[in-house]
Structure formats: structure tokens, C-alpha cells
Amino acid sequence: MDWTYYETKLTKAQLSSGPLTVPWAPVELDAVQFVLINRLCIEDVDIDEPEFVVFIQGEGMAVEEFVASLISTRLVALNGKTLELLTTECACAILPDGRRIAAENNTGRLKRWLDAYHKARRAAPAPA
């Protein structure tokens, strides 16, 4: 697997005003991204495959636009015409509030995040 680097251009002022660290969190996905990430957990997807094209267009999106949205998650790459996961052990979950998430879980990081999320949720006071 190759490395992918992302560059973020910031001014000195932006660098000095931002937090030193940001807590890790999984990627939030829309419903269509969630379906495709789950499929990618099973097999790579050819973006010219008729069923894929019909599905994406049926959801009101252009294939190119959707592929770009998947790549922006940093979980997926486009290798020629084939969508592939960049992860070793991608995992997906739906949170109790309906949000859909996905992340690399080969170290158990997503599981630990979910455990902490649910623990905090149980400890929070019930809404009035």
C-alpha cells in the first residue's frame, strides 16, 4: 500500500491560534457513502459497473461527485476505475442518534471510541 499525504496551508496566526491536539473521531458518512463503504468492506467497486452507476444516479448524484465525496473521507482511493479501501480493517457503525460512521479499526481504535461514546451517553442526564 502506498502512502497518501494531505497538505493543509495555514498562516502563522492560524497555527498559533488553533488547538495543539484534536481528539480523534471516526468519519461521519451520509447514507449513500455508508452503503458503499460497507460494500467496499467486502469487495472493490468498478465505477463503470452499471449497477453502481444506476444506484448513484438514482440517489440524485453524478458518479464523479460521489466518488470525490468518498475519497474525501480518506478511507477510500480510486485506483484507475476501481474504488478501494485504504484501510486494513475498516469498520462501520450506526450511532443511536442515526449518524453513520466508519474508520480504520485494525488497532481497536474505533471500538474504543464507541465504548467511550456509549459510556458517556449512558452517564449523561436524560433530557427533560
Side-chain angles (χ1 to χ4, degrees), residues 25-73:
V27 177
E28 287 190 35
L29 305 170
D30 66 32
V32 181
Q33 289 172 324
F34 189 78
V35 167
L36 258 295
I37 296 276
N38 271 279
R39 180 170 172 204
L40 288 168
C41 288
I42 299 167
E43 63 182 351
D44 294 343
V45 175
D46 182 331
I47 64 169
D48 289 334
E49 175 185 289
E51 292 168 334
F52 172 77
V53 173
V54 168
F55 174 66
I56 299 306
Q57 290 175 343
E59 294 296 323
M61 290 179 264
V63 169
E64 299 79 18
E65 170 190 350
F66 178 72
V67 168
S69 80
L70 275 182
I71 291 170
S72 74
T73 68

Side-chain angles (χ1 to χ4, degrees), residues 1-7 71 74-78 85-86:
M1 180 179 292
D2 296 326
W3 286 90
T4 302
Y5 294 93
Y6 296 94
E7 178 182 12
I71 291 170
R74 298 185 180 184
L75 297 172
V76 178
L78 183 62
L85 286 174
L86 293 172

